[in-house]
Amino acid sequence: MNRVLLAILFFGAMVAVYIILFLLNRKTPLPEGCENLKADCDACHDIHCINNPDHAKNRDA
């Protein structure tokens, strides 16, 4: 019984730490230059890559 209670408390502490760190990370401002993370890639030859500039052209064709 004592081990079960200890396991539940440990799991609860881990969840609490995760929630606190998630909320603190959410409040952190983005570094300068990281506001727009859309890739301007011309070298990708994978037509299934969502960042490929030709992706929209192949979808419309």
Side-chain angles (χ1 to χ4, degrees):
M1 178 81 172
N2 201 12
R3 293 179 110 179
V4 173
L5 182 61
L6 186 61
I8 291 171
L9 289 175
F10 181 75
F11 182 74
M14 295 297 289
V15 169
V17 167
Y18 176 81
I19 290 171
I20 290 169
L21 291 177
F22 178 80
L23 293 175
L24 289 174
N25 187 36
R26 197 175 201 187
K27 291 181 182 180
T28 304
L30 290 173
E32 187 176 322
C34 292
E35 292 84 15
N36 182 10
L37 295 178
K38 185 76 173 161
D40 296 330
C41 179
D42 293 331
C44 184
H45 299 290
D46 183 8
I47 62 169
H48 301 292
C49 178
I50 194 72
N51 294 323
N52 188 336
D54 293 331
H55 184 54
K57 294 177 194 174
N58 290 338
R59 185 176 42 185
D60 294 337

